[in-house]
Amino acid sequence: MATKEKKGTTEPGPAWRAWGRALLGGAVMAVALGTGNALGEALVRALDLDGYPAQLLPAALVSALAVPVVLALRTGRPGSGRPLGLGTPASAAHGFVRGLAVTTACAALVLGGGTAAGWVRWSGPDPAALVSFLAGNALVAVLLEALPEETTLRGYAWASLRERFGGVLSALGTTLVFLLVPAASTVVQAGVAQAVGVEAPPMGLAPAGQDPIAYPVLLSVFGLTLIAARTAPGRAPLWAAIGTHVAFLSVNRVVFEGGRRDAGWSAHVSPVHAAILELGYLAATAAVFTGARLLASRGRASATGPRTAVSGPRVRAAAAWLRPVLASGPRATASGGRRIQPSAATTYSVGVWAGGGSGLVPPVRVLSRASAPRPGAVSRVRPGTAVRRNPGTRRR
């Protein structure tokens, strides 16, 4: 992998390569989504499936096509030990619940305010039907959308851009790729559907029935919210984005589509108020995750203390002042006639504290066996007395 140095940092490869990898992540998602939906419909017809299994089969195909491919693409790249922010299995559950809880709480707060303002009128809830719908919808949402989209986009595409660019540009670039996926998937689905002999939805920038202007705006805000969840502190940040994704789909399908989906609960909201409420609770969710990241960054900065107090010329001045004091080997200082040899750990820790890193640790000079002092030997040199040198020894 080609790298170049800029202002002391290593930047992997040229910019076009990072953008190419990001677009590749989006292409993997588009192909998996279009192919999985078309092949899933063909298999549903061939197996004569109906109801929930007919929804679950295409969703499973999309994840099976997208996730292994993008994990294979990431293998060997930096950070592949914990690929794409997926974390360990134990931390994955915690991250998923965190994303689910934050998004649901923000949605409840905003929708509660909309209800108090008279924007939302609720139907009578059916608890059994609601629980059944939420459980079944969660599994389909994870397999069809949340897991493959987050792995390919907020996982692979984000990581590819973030290795080369700053956080803002990486977030905007990942969201742009996210906007291209639905349209590209309809093209793929149309081609595969024609090959397997099933009907495909019309191609376009927005799904059928969605406003061509409102849909990209909502998708952009949603994508940036998922980036905020992805970059929030935690051991499995990608699972926080997956939990946020599932919560968003569940809330919208209950609140705004509950009657059509037999969710057991629904709300009556005007289209304008629905857009305001959706954008409102997405913005609140993004604010919570962003605030958590800023607080964590501030805590790390305060914990480092003096590391951030000096930089540039001050570091070099401190290093020049400390080198004679911290010198090891034959240049060690004397105190009370006894030679002092600071340990490598002590010397290195002071170097890190001063911001100079290992540059404060001077190179170790290897002495000849004859001239090397014995361990624990006491120096006989008095203060102010000249030291006689061996004529064959070069002055250090």
Side-chain angles (χ1 to χ4, degrees), residues 231-234 292-308:
T231 55
R293 185 177 73 252
L294 293 177
L295 288 176
S297 300
R298 182 174 298 179
R300 287 193 297 267
S302 61
T304 56
R307 292 186 191 180
T308 58

Side-chain angles (χ1 to χ4, degrees), residues 329-331 365-368 371 389 393-396:
R331 296 179 65 183
R365 291 183 173 85
V366 180
L367 302 178
S368 65
S371 61
R389 298 181 181 275
T393 304
R394 188 175 62 182
R395 179 183 297 272
R396 291 183 173 83

Side-chain angles (χ1 to χ4, degrees), residues 58-354:
L61 282 176
V62 173
S63 282
L65 291 171
V67 176
V69 172
V70 81
L71 290 181
L73 289 173
R74 186 65 183 173
T75 302
R77 301 280 302 153
S80 60
R82 285 281 182 264
L84 309 177
L86 289 169
T88 62
S91 60
H94 185 269
F96 181 80
V97 172
R98 184 171 67 250
L100 203 67
V102 170
T103 310
T104 304
C106 291
L109 182 65
V110 173
L111 291 172
T115 303
W119 292 1
V120 185
R121 292 181 293 110
W122 298 91
S123 67
D126 183 349
L130 179 62
V131 171
S132 176
F133 173 80
L134 288 175
N137 173 77
L139 182 57
V140 172
V142 167
L143 294 176
L144 179 64
E145 295 147 315
L147 178 60
E149 284 186 5
E150 297 314 308
T151 306
T152 55
L153 299 173
R154 262 67 59 174
Y156 185 77
W158 160 263
S160 300
L161 292 174
R162 193 64 182 90
E163 288 170 0
R164 182 60 176 80
F165 304 108
V168 174
L169 183 57
S170 300
L172 295 176
T174 305
T175 304
L176 177 60
V177 176
F178 182 41
L179 291 173
L180 298 175
V181 167
S185 68
T186 60
V187 177
V188 175
Q189 186 172 352
V192 177
Q194 185 176 4
V196 298
V198 296
E199 185 179 357
M203 294 181 288
L205 295 176
Q210 296 286 348
D211 187 273
I213 296 178
Y215 181 76
V217 172
L218 176 62
L219 208 62
S220 299
V221 177
F222 183 39
L224 293 174
T225 303
L226 292 170
I227 290 291
R230 166 68 176 85
T231 55
R235 296 182 179 178
L238 193 63
W239 278 101
I242 293 172
T244 298
H245 202 137
V246 173
F248 172 78
L249 296 176
S250 300
V251 168
N252 281 12
R253 288 168 183 174
V254 169
V255 175
F256 306 114
E257 305 174 11
R260 181 167 58 85
R261 293 178 177 267
D262 295 325
W265 202 20
S266 63
H268 300 281
V269 193
S270 68
V272 175
H273 290 160
I276 295 174
L277 293 173
E278 279 185 283
L279 296 176
Y281 85 77
L282 283 176
T285 303
V288 171
F289 283 124
T290 303
R293 185 177 73 252
L294 293 177
L295 288 176
S297 300
R298 182 174 298 179
R300 287 193 297 267
S302 61
T304 56
R307 292 186 191 180
T308 58
V310 291
S311 61
R314 296 184 182 181
V315 172
R316 291 190 292 271
W321 182 81
L322 287 171
R323 274 196 178 97
V325 180
L326 298 176
S328 59
R331 296 179 65 183
T333 59
S335 176
R338 188 176 299 274
R339 189 176 298 274
I340 298 174
Q341 180 98 7
S343 68
T346 303
T347 308
Y348 180 77
S349 63
V350 175
V352 172
W353 180 88

Side-chain angles (χ1 to χ4, degrees), residues 362-385:
V364 178
R365 291 183 173 85
V366 180
L367 302 178
S368 65
R369 185 171 298 179
S371 61
R374 295 191 307 275
V378 179
S379 173
R380 302 296 182 183
V381 180
R382 300 176 189 175
T385 304

